[in-house]
Amino acid sequence: MAVADGGFRALDEKSLIEYIRATPALSSLLGDDLRALTVKEVGDGNLNFVYIVISSSGGSIVIKQAIPYIRCIGESWPMTKERAYFEALTLREHGRLCPAHVPEVYHFDRPLSLIAMRYLKPPHIILRKGLIAGIEYPLLAEHMSEYMARTLFFTSLLYRSTSEHKREVAEYCGNVELCRLTEQVVFSDPYKISQYNHWTSPYLDQDAETVREDDILKLEVAGLKSMFCERAQALIHGDLHTGSVMVTTDSTQVIDPEFAFYGPMGFDIGALVGNLILAFFSQDGHSDNGKDRKVYKQWILKTIEDTWNLFHKKFISLWNEHKDGNGEAYLADVYKKPELWFLVQEKYIKDLFHDSLGFGAAKMIRRIVGVAHVEDFESITDAERRAYCEHRALEFAKMILKERQRYDTIEQITSALQNIPS
Amino acid sequence: MAVADGGFRALDEKSLIEYIRATPALSSLLGDDLRALTVKEVGDGNLNFVYIVISSSGGSIVIKQAIPYIRCIGESWPMTKERAYFEALTLREHGRLCPAHVPEVYHFDRPLSLIAMRYLKPPHIILRKGLIAGIEYPLLAEHMSEYMARTLFFTSLLYRSTSEHKREVAEYCGNVELCRLTEQVVFSDPYKISQYNHWTSPYLDQDAETVREDDILKLEVAGLKSMFCERAQALIHGDLHTGSVMVTTDSTQVIDPEFAFYGPMGFDIGALVGNLILAFFSQDGHSDNGKDRKVYKQWILKTIEDTWNLFHKKFISLWNEHKDGNGEAYLADVYKKPELWFLVQEKYIKDLFHDSLGFGAAKMIRRIVGVAHVEDFESITDAERRAYCEHRALEFAKMILKERQRYDTIEQITSALQNIPS
């Protein structure tokens, strides 16, 4: 067990059990007999250690510990373990706003950067793995649109006063290292030579170079990066890809908000939609095990449409419901005329749609030519076939990033996806 | 002398002298003989008390004290005296970045919300008064463009790292009450019925109503308000009108940054340009004392052009000079190709130009139909004549706010001003 700064020590399975025994808030959740605890490390993300702890009496918890570097890279890339503080804070805040889709936090230990939270039992799996397996989740769009509408609306100036907003913005400025990481891996590295970038070589060598040489693309990315750094629109999850969602056919749970901060709403919506589009493009790499993916691709497109359209509807409903509340952005006294109220909302949503498309496209690009790739593609073992899927996804993302202002509806996007020639 | 919270007491001339005698940092500036101090209260702004203190030996200082309400309205509109903290902080930061145009801070007493700073001796006068008097300031555009280019560039992500930026943003989130005041008086009250609004009645009754009923105008104002609340682009002065600048023919000093926070750069540039345009429109109300104002109006237009064009030039120079620095917004490695570097800068400046026009227009409108008016117009005693000037300014501001995207150069703006029919 490593001993580090300010009382921090990285736990292993043995010391974790000792910690649980010594912590009543946890031991009480696991029942009387703590001798027979099963501990399993399951962290498959890029950053942290995650343990499932199950007691013989049937109690269960998940323990997540942040370590002071990026797990998938190693100690050579230090990363503040304070990210766990912002993760716990956000799980609690988003959980308060949308308890149906955020796991409960039982306990947070700041010196240890340790969060204990509800164990999402089987058959919960990571959404990305479900998408690779070709499983349909009929409630996914409904649930994710609910989560995004509630967490984004209630933490924006549409609902909050300026005073509450600035207090929260100030607090989350502390999560700067994670913001910097996003800036680097999403908005910078893919557009320059970087030791961390990789791609399916040699097939995509030319594609990667083309991204680095595309002036118009890089001009658009600059605008998105500025928005990411400067615009405190709402408390966003900050990493809302399909690996941050756990699902069953009737449950959807958003996890891992350690990148949370006050940023542009479109960054969350775009992350989800962009990753669904990656899943769409990856299907051609998964269609050969005797299972045709044509129907599944249609389900993905329908889910993309429903996610945006339901988000739009729910977000506007919340706004209408709270139009006489504390929110200071659009005072009812100024915008009370129904036609104007409609006009204001329409403009807000249109801008948000374009932001979401831009961020979504940027998130797609970085998953193909940047440091961290997605299992949707990585699990396609035939490199040439993988490169074919990735190339098509990359071309689509570049087009959307550059021409997103031309699109007004999500159906225009799914229709464009539908009509890409093989 | 009122006794208030946390050691605060509002000083008067007598207690101010006692304070100076007891404070070596101040008494040492005023020389040995503190018996013969002359104290004169000169605060003509809306918020604070300002004293000029002169000693018989020739030493001098200015003392500014914030009180916990808005001076021009009274105790019925409370306003945190902590604004003095942000004013002192900003005077020091902007002073460090542009010492030639920011008065030196000698001493700050946080419990008393008291700032002691350099006395800007006669013939320094408030720029607005000089503009009303028809005085030309040949170095004004040069100096103000220098001040804006340096303070805005060096506090933006073009120069700073994300870490420095977020730390500063968090600190200035504390100046929330002043931000809220701006939101209310600039972006909300003029567009609704408010007890604080007033205008030159009855002449402008219809104009005020038209502003409140102009849907497109209010849609544009909503976008600007969101940008003001959400976008932490640089440490802006926050109230950079012509009453916040003291001038002689060869000195230009920016004072009163108590509204400072991390906001959109265009809010500062727009405040200055918008107030110069108000000065332009007010000249027809000042042209009868045997002095023709035609030439002076041309000087104002030339100053507006030079201010923007010199700002543009200086800002780009600073950016080029520091392109390999800590700034994380546009990494040299990504944007190194000269044509792309040019493209990126061109887009940045074009967006900033449109932001500045939008904010400038909003600041003009609020000075005609909102709570706080400008002496440029208020000093025109003939109400009908004043209303004529105000009406023309208001029409111009509304047009710019709605159609600013159509303008690419400042000369197109001054030409539009030139061509307004009498």
Side-chain angles (χ1 to χ4, degrees):
Chain A
M1 151 177 36
V3 173
D5 53 311
F8 178 79
R9 56 203 166 95
L11 300 180
D12 54 20
E13 303 192 4
K14 183 164 166 288
S15 52
L16 182 66
I17 291 178
E18 287 161 16
Y19 180 81
I20 291 168
R21 287 192 177 127
T23 309
L26 299 181
S27 53
S28 65
L29 288 164
L30 291 167
D32 295 334
D33 186 2
L34 293 178
R35 280 168 306 180
L37 288 183
T38 316
V39 178
K40 195 175 151 199
E41 208 284 309
V42 294
D44 70 341
N46 298 317
L47 299 182
N48 307 292
F49 286 87
V50 180
Y51 302 90
I52 296 169
V53 183
I54 297 177
S55 71
S56 55
S57 62
S60 62
I61 53 174
V62 157
I63 302 270
K64 181 170 177 179
Q65 186 176 36
I67 49 174
Y69 53 88
I70 295 181
R71 183 180 181 180
C72 70
I73 298 200
E75 303 198 23
S76 66
W77 194 331
M79 182 54 53
T80 175
K81 60 187 177 53
E82 270 294 273
R83 63 186 186 265
Y85 168 72
F86 294 101
E87 176 168 353
L89 198 65
T90 309
L91 282 170
R92 282 174 168 153
E93 175 67 359
H94 282 180
R96 191 178 65 76
L97 297 171
C98 191
H101 304 300
V102 180
E104 189 185 348
V105 173
Y106 301 131
H107 169 76
F108 175 59
D109 183 324
R110 194 163 181 174
L112 282 192
S113 300
L114 180 152
I115 302 170
M117 66 183 100
R118 184 156 76 89
Y119 171 42
L120 299 168
K121 290 180 187 161
H124 276 101
I125 60 169
I126 292 288
L127 171 57
R128 193 185 297 287
K129 291 182 187 291
L131 294 168
I132 293 167
I135 304 169
E136 294 189 12
Y137 295 97
L139 296 175
L140 181 64
E142 172 70 29
H143 290 170
M144 288 306 294
S145 60
E146 179 82 5
Y147 166 81
M148 294 193 296
R150 294 187 66 85
T151 57
L152 299 178
F153 175 80
F154 285 115
T155 60
S156 77
L157 283 165
L158 302 180
Y159 178 74
R160 286 217 178 123
S161 71
T162 295
S163 311
E164 296 170 285
H165 185 73
K166 289 228 189 268
R167 190 178 59 232
E168 292 296 305
V169 170
E171 167 91 303
Y172 276 92
C173 278
N175 205 16
V176 54
E177 280 200 44
L178 280 278
C179 291
R180 287 192 70 189
L181 179 58
T182 301
E183 288 170 33
Q184 179 180 344
V185 300
V186 177
F187 300 107
S188 298
D189 279 0
Y191 304 95
K192 66 186 189 71
I193 305 275
S194 160
Q195 58 171 311
Y196 302 109
N197 290 343
H198 62 102
W199 51 83
T200 303
S201 191
Y203 309 100
L204 297 187
D205 290 359
Q206 185 58 54
D207 293 75
E209 192 183 330
T210 304
V211 165
R212 294 195 302 270
E213 299 299 325
D214 188 333
D215 287 2
I216 302 302
L217 190 70
K218 296 204 285 188
L219 192 63
E220 290 296 330
V221 168
L224 291 170
K225 185 177 177 183
S226 288
M227 202 196 299
F228 180 82
C229 296
E230 294 173 349
R231 185 170 185 194
Q233 193 179 16
L235 176 57
I236 66 173
H237 178 284
D239 196 27
L240 194 57
H241 56 77
T242 53
S244 295
V245 182
M246 294 197 72
V247 283
T248 67
T249 45
D250 49 24
S251 165
T252 308
Q253 303 291 327
V254 178
I255 60 173
D256 292 355
E258 62 207 302
F259 285 84
F261 77 114
Y262 276 74
M265 294 179 182
F267 194 76
D268 271 6
I269 303 167
L272 179 64
V273 169
N275 276 270
L276 288 172
I277 297 176
L278 290 177
F280 172 84
F281 279 107
S282 76
Q283 294 301 316
D284 292 338
H286 301 302
S287 57
D288 51 1
N289 325 327
K291 201 180 165 189
D292 182 357
R293 292 290 177 105
K294 277 187 192 152
V295 173
Y296 194 62
K297 284 169 77 175
Q298 293 311 307
W299 176 80
I300 296 178
L301 293 184
K302 182 69 168 51
T303 299
I304 291 170
E305 290 173 6
D306 290 351
T307 298
W308 170 260
N309 289 330
L310 287 169
F311 167 81
H312 179 174
K313 190 172 145 235
K314 288 164 194 274
F315 191 87
I316 293 292
S317 292
L318 290 170
W319 194 351
N320 288 335
E321 197 181 319
H322 296 280
K323 70 174 190 292
D324 298 309
N326 291 330
E328 298 193 79
Y330 297 85
L331 298 180
D333 274 359
V334 178
Y335 296 99
K336 59 177 169 261
K337 209 201 307 179
E339 344 38 309
L340 177 56
W341 187 250
F342 175 78
L343 219 61
V344 154
Q345 292 188 327
E346 197 177 43
K347 180 165 187 300
Y348 194 98
I349 292 291
K350 186 179 153 201
D351 289 345
L352 181 52
F353 183 64
H354 291 148
D355 294 350
S356 302
L357 292 180
F359 286 121
K363 303 271 273 181
M364 290 175 67
I365 292 169
R366 74 96 157 200
R367 293 296 194 176
I368 299 167
V369 298
V371 56
H373 287 218
V374 289
E375 199 182 332
D376 311 62
F377 291 132
E378 297 299 293
S379 60
I380 303 170
T381 46
D382 177 341
E384 191 171 353
R385 195 169 176 196
R386 179 166 75 244
Y388 167 79
C389 296
E390 290 176 324
H391 169 78
R392 287 155 56 92
L394 186 61
E395 287 300 306
F396 184 78
K398 283 160 51 185
M399 184 278 288
I400 291 293
L401 216 160
K402 290 189 270 191
E403 298 176 30
R404 63 191 187 278
Q405 303 290 342
R406 282 180 36 218
Y407 293 85
D408 295 323
T409 68
I410 193 71
E411 286 76 14
Q412 291 170 342
I413 300 293
T414 52
S415 163
L417 283 165
Q418 195 81 263
N419 296 327
I420 296 172
S422 289
Chain B
M1 150 177 34
V3 173
D5 54 311
F8 178 79
R9 55 204 167 94
L11 299 180
D12 55 20
E13 301 191 5
K14 183 164 166 288
S15 52
L16 182 66
I17 291 178
E18 288 160 17
Y19 180 82
I20 291 168
R21 288 191 175 128
T23 308
L26 299 182
S27 53
S28 65
L29 288 164
L30 292 166
D32 296 332
D33 187 2
L34 291 178
R35 280 167 307 180
L37 288 183
T38 316
V39 178
K40 195 175 151 199
E41 208 283 310
V42 294
D44 70 342
N46 298 316
L47 299 182
N48 307 293
F49 285 86
V50 180
Y51 302 90
I52 296 168
V53 183
I54 296 177
S55 71
S56 54
S57 63
S60 61
I61 52 174
V62 157
I63 303 270
K64 180 170 177 179
Q65 186 175 36
I67 49 174
Y69 53 87
I70 296 181
R71 183 180 181 181
C72 71
I73 298 198
E75 303 198 24
S76 67
W77 194 334
M79 182 54 53
T80 174
K81 60 188 179 50
E82 269 295 272
R83 62 185 186 263
Y85 169 72
F86 293 101
E87 176 167 353
L89 198 64
T90 308
L91 282 169
R92 282 172 168 156
E93 175 67 358
H94 282 180
R96 191 178 66 76
L97 297 171
C98 191
H101 304 299
V102 180
E104 190 185 348
V105 172
Y106 301 130
H107 170 75
F108 175 60
D109 184 325
R110 194 163 181 174
L112 282 192
S113 300
L114 179 151
I115 302 169
M117 66 183 100
R118 183 156 76 89
Y119 170 42
L120 300 167
K121 291 180 187 160
H124 277 101
I125 60 169
I126 292 289
L127 172 58
R128 194 186 297 286
K129 291 183 188 291
L131 294 167
I132 293 167
I135 303 169
E136 294 189 12
Y137 296 97
L139 296 175
L140 181 64
E142 173 70 29
H143 289 171
M144 287 306 294
S145 60
E146 179 82 5
Y147 166 82
M148 294 192 299
R150 295 186 66 84
T151 57
L152 298 179
F153 175 81
F154 286 115
T155 60
S156 77
L157 283 164
L158 302 180
Y159 178 76
R160 286 217 177 125
S161 72
T162 296
S163 311
E164 296 169 284
H165 185 72
K166 290 227 189 268
R167 190 178 57 233
E168 292 296 305
V169 169
E171 167 91 302
Y172 275 92
C173 278
N175 205 17
V176 53
E177 280 200 45
L178 280 279
C179 290
R180 286 192 71 189
L181 179 58
T182 301
E183 288 170 32
Q184 177 180 346
V185 301
V186 177
F187 299 107
S188 298
D189 280 359
Y191 304 95
K192 66 185 187 72
I193 304 276
S194 158
Q195 59 172 310
Y196 301 109
N197 291 342
H198 63 102
W199 52 81
T200 304
S201 190
Y203 308 101
L204 297 187
D205 290 358
Q206 184 58 53
D207 293 74
E209 191 183 331
T210 303
V211 165
R212 294 195 302 270
E213 300 299 325
D214 189 333
D215 287 1
I216 303 303
L217 190 69
K218 296 203 286 186
L219 191 64
E220 290 296 330
V221 168
L224 292 169
K225 185 176 176 183
S226 287
M227 202 195 301
F228 180 83
C229 296
E230 294 173 349
R231 186 169 185 196
Q233 193 178 19
L235 176 57
I236 65 173
H237 177 285
D239 196 28
L240 195 56
H241 57 76
T242 53
S244 295
V245 182
M246 294 198 72
V247 284
T248 67
T249 45
D250 50 22
S251 165
T252 308
Q253 303 292 326
V254 178
I255 60 172
D256 292 355
E258 62 207 303
F259 285 84
F261 76 115
Y262 276 74
M265 295 179 181
F267 194 76
D268 271 6
I269 303 167
L272 180 64
V273 169
N275 276 269
L276 288 172
I277 297 176
L278 289 178
F280 173 84
F281 279 107
S282 76
Q283 294 301 317
D284 292 338
H286 301 301
S287 57
D288 50 2
N289 325 328
K291 200 180 165 190
D292 184 356
R293 293 291 178 106
K294 277 188 193 151
V295 173
Y296 193 63
K297 284 169 78 174
Q298 293 311 307
W299 176 81
I300 295 178
L301 293 184
K302 183 70 169 51
T303 298
I304 290 169
E305 290 173 5
D306 290 351
T307 298
W308 171 260
N309 290 329
L310 288 168
F311 166 81
H312 179 174
K313 192 172 145 232
K314 289 164 194 274
F315 191 87
I316 293 292
S317 292
L318 289 170
W319 193 352
N320 288 335
E321 197 180 318
H322 296 279
K323 70 175 189 294
D324 298 308
N326 292 330
E328 298 194 79
Y330 297 85
L331 298 180
D333 273 359
V334 178
Y335 296 98
K336 59 176 170 262
K337 209 201 306 180
E339 340 46 303
L340 177 56
W341 186 251
F342 175 79
L343 220 61
V344 155
Q345 293 188 327
E346 198 178 40
K347 180 166 187 300
Y348 194 97
I349 291 290
K350 186 178 152 200
D351 289 346
L352 181 51
F353 184 64
H354 291 148
D355 294 350
S356 302
L357 293 180
F359 286 121
K363 304 270 274 181
M364 290 175 68
I365 292 169
R366 73 95 157 204
R367 293 296 194 178
I368 299 168
V369 297
V371 55
H373 287 218
V374 289
E375 199 181 333
D376 311 63
F377 290 132
E378 297 300 292
S379 60
I380 303 169
T381 46
D382 178 341
E384 192 172 352
R385 196 168 175 197
R386 179 167 75 244
Y388 167 81
C389 296
E390 290 176 324
H391 169 77
R392 287 156 57 91
L394 186 62
E395 287 299 307
F396 184 79
K398 283 159 53 184
M399 185 278 288
I400 291 294
L401 216 161
K402 290 189 271 190
E403 299 176 28
R404 63 191 187 278
Q405 302 290 342
R406 283 180 34 218
Y407 293 85
D408 295 323
T409 68
I410 193 72
E411 285 76 15
Q412 290 170 341
I413 300 292
T414 51
S415 162
L417 283 165
Q418 195 82 263
N419 295 328
I420 295 172
S422 289

